[in-house]
Amino acid sequence: MNDERSRELYGRALSVLPGGVNSSVRALRPYPFFVRRGEGGHVIDADGNRLIDYVMGYGPLLLGHGYPDEVDARIRSQLSDGAMYGAPTEVEVELAEFVARHVPSVEMVRFVNSGTEATVSAVRLARGHTGRDEIVVMEGGYHGAQESTLVEGGGTDTAPSSAGIPSEFAEHTHAVPFNDEEAVRNIFNERGDRIAAVLTEPMLGNHGIVYPIEGYLEALREITAEHGALLIFDEVITGFRVGGLACAQGKFGIDPDLTTFGKVLGGGFPVGAVGGPAGIMEGLTPAGDVFQSGTYSGHPVAMTAGLETLRYAAENDVYDHVNTLGERLRSGLREIVADRAPSYTVVGTDSIFGVTFTREGAGGEGECEDGCRQRPSCPRFDSCPKNGADVANADTERWERLFWPAMCEQGIFLSANQFEAQFVSYAHTDEDIEETLDAYRAVL
Ligand SMILES: *Cc1c(COP(=O)(O)O)cnc(C)c1O
């Protein structure tokens, strides 16, 4: 791959942007390629290289790069009417109605500008609603760049995972392994009356891809309800991707008290949201006393992009297409992995996919034809990654240093490490999938 222009741009970037980027995950080794433009399921970089793109903006681009004509026209029309006003508009009501109509647990929505802002607001609302300070998160779980959830360690023995965060924040945040019902029960038995909420992705999508063991989400629902704590699903990745318009909560049949959204909800523009029943959501100002506000919140252009993207998905075969391609890709990967790297685990569901580089010991034919489903009857059940620590123990160095660059050379753009998921978009084709499987075959 010729990369002269990208290298030159990165040289300039290093002088004016810390680390040369605006989001740490983009600082690829030894330097990132700079994108000139996107085209459907592909990106073209500054040197003219074309890659099949499964990063898709790290999740938001359900339809791929660019918009179908009618979506494009509505976004442009809003833009020419003025970007924003600081007064309410019809489109934010319509998008809220759309979300409330499709997502089982949601009656009301507060729009914000990112997934981070959504989880910050949801945690504040849960604390205000319950009058309690402590929260429980999953070890290794990611909920954006926010003080209350950037923790490392386990149980009540947590510390901030970043410099610049007072340790008092971590004192209020406990961490348990995903898929470990007993760990949650123990912490609630010990201090249940102090816990405001359990905050988790319904299926890990941002620290490896890990499916919930059957009964786990049900247990979280039951334990939180029993102790008067809220269950918050962070659906920033899974929302409007896993389970289609009903989101992962619809797929798994669990109603959380609060849900956070982002990524697909903005159709490529910066949008986040908190949703839930009126009895909790009306705790937010100006209806209630939990302060929440934002200059750009409900931004008309972003709302239009989100609404038109989701409407398009509702009226066309978008979820059928992306889920079918996802399935084809994962079953192809399973065959390749069985042949080339039998200890590896193919993960994902719907339009999310990945290969976790599970180490030796995990071999053997499993039951999962297109991605690990954590079935206890599967011969691989004991060795497939169950939580964030298991994913972290897989061969991350091999992924980053050997696998990722080799896939790039083959013209396939994957996420920079095995903690981030890969996404199939509506713009991807059968040929893209074949080409991608050939690349895996050559590289693994
Ligand atoms: C991406 C993500 C966030 C943070 O969203 P930003 O828009 O990057 O602030 C939070 N939670 C999950 C599960 C995410 O995947």
Side-chain angles (χ1 to χ4, degrees):
M1 245 169 97
N2 176 20
D3 58 3
E4 237 170 275
R5 180 91 180 113
S6 281
R7 198 170 52 167
E8 184 195 320
L9 285 170
Y10 193 57
R12 280 169 56 195
L14 280 173
S15 304
V16 287
L17 300 169
V21 292
N22 278 301
S23 187
S24 20
V25 77
R26 294 177 204 159
L28 306 168
R29 263 191 266 247
Y31 48 84
F33 61 81
F34 281 61
V35 174
R36 184 187 298 157
R37 66 192 170 87
E39 201 180 279
H42 297 225
V43 283
I44 292 101
D45 77 5
D47 292 284
N49 300 299
R50 173 184 279 271
L51 297 104
I52 304 179
D53 179 11
Y54 293 107
V55 174
M56 282 292 149
Y58 283 96
L61 305 178
L62 178 65
L63 303 181
H65 297 283
Y67 295 96
D69 290 346
E70 63 261 48
V71 176
D72 191 89
R74 298 220 169 88
I75 297 171
R76 283 174 202 278
S77 150
Q78 176 58 54
L79 195 56
S80 62
D81 288 343
M84 61 172 290
Y85 317 107
T89 55
E90 184 170 352
V91 63
E92 62 197 297
V93 182
E94 285 185 294
L95 184 54
E97 286 169 349
F98 187 100
V99 173
R101 192 158 63 240
H102 288 96
V103 186
S105 71
V106 174
E107 285 172 17
M108 289 189 146
V109 178
R110 169 62 53 90
F111 290 114
V112 292
N113 309 290
S114 69
T116 296
E117 224 187 306
T119 66
V120 168
S121 305
V123 167
R124 188 181 305 143
L125 178 57
R127 285 171 166 158
H129 181 79
T130 58
R132 304 172 180 178
D133 287 340
E134 300 183 10
I135 59 166
V136 175
V137 298
M138 300 300 142
E139 288 175 25
Y142 182 71
H143 304 287
Q146 73 135 312
E147 265 61 4
S148 287
T149 59
L150 283 174
V151 297
E152 58 192 18
T156 53
D157 192 15
T158 52
S161 62
S162 161
I165 299 178
S167 60
E168 283 78 6
F169 279 100
E171 281 168 21
H172 293 116
T173 304
H174 315 305
V176 294
F178 188 68
N179 271 331
D180 186 342
E181 181 181 328
E182 203 179 312
V184 178
R185 283 198 193 281
N186 289 343
I187 214 152
F188 269 91
N189 287 340
E190 195 188 297
R191 54 203 312 129
D193 59 345
R194 289 185 258 176
I195 297 172
V198 170
L199 168 62
T200 182
E201 291 186 89
M203 174 189 116
L204 294 191
N206 211 323
H207 196 84
I209 304 168
V210 181
Y211 213 74
I213 294 174
E214 203 184 327
Y216 179 66
L217 299 178
E218 286 79 358
L220 292 183
R221 181 61 286 181
E222 178 200 309
I223 296 164
T224 46
E226 209 172 280
H227 291 267
L230 302 189
L231 177 60
I232 308 173
F233 275 178
D234 182 350
E235 294 228 43
V236 171
I237 282 196
T238 54
F240 306 103
R241 181 166 295 275
V242 173
L245 296 174
C247 305
Q249 58 194 264
K251 182 182 178 87
F252 296 123
I254 303 288
D255 283 358
D257 299 297
L258 288 175
T259 306
T260 54
F261 301 98
K263 299 196 169 123
V264 173
L265 179 63
F269 283 75
V271 174
V274 185
I280 302 174
M281 289 300 294
E282 286 189 335
L284 291 173
T285 53
D289 58 1
V290 177
F291 184 76
Q292 204 291 318
S293 212
T295 300
Y296 295 108
S297 297
H299 191 281
V301 180
M303 293 286 104
T304 303
L307 178 65
E308 296 303 333
T309 294
L310 292 179
R311 272 189 183 154
Y312 186 88
E315 289 159 15
N316 295 275
D317 62 339
V318 171
Y319 290 111
D320 270 357
H321 180 87
V322 296
N323 293 349
T324 303
L325 291 191
E327 211 175 290
R328 199 164 296 160
L329 196 44
R330 287 186 302 269
S331 27
L333 285 174
R334 178 172 174 263
E335 275 171 35
I336 295 167
V337 159
D339 184 39
R340 307 284 165 107
S343 70
Y344 290 4
T345 311
V346 177
V347 291
T349 182
D350 299 54
S351 58
I352 301 188
F353 73 97
V355 176
T356 304
F357 284 18
T358 338
R359 293 174 195 271
E360 290 307 322
E365 281 280 300
E367 286 177 353
C368 303
E369 312 231 313
D370 78 318
C372 178
R373 295 288 178 276
Q374 303 292 349
R375 289 193 194 102
S377 59
C378 178
R380 290 175 58 114
F381 180 71
D382 289 332
S383 51
C384 288
K386 302 262 166 318
N387 55 50
D390 292 349
V391 177
N393 284 335
D395 200 346
T396 305
E397 287 296 307
R398 180 174 299 276
W399 173 293
E400 283 185 41
R401 291 174 190 271
L402 295 177
F403 172 71
W404 188 86
M407 288 299 279
C408 247
E409 282 298 324
Q410 298 277 333
I412 313 291
F413 180 28
L414 300 177
S415 61
N417 58 58
Q418 66 175 352
F419 299 111
E420 314 281 341
Q422 266 77 227
F423 305 96
V424 178
S425 81
Y426 191 55
H428 285 108
T429 62
D430 284 328
E431 294 82 73
D432 291 332
I433 302 300
E434 286 315 312
E435 208 177 303
T436 304
L437 290 172
D438 286 343
Y440 271 94
R441 218 171 270 122
V443 169
L444 275 183

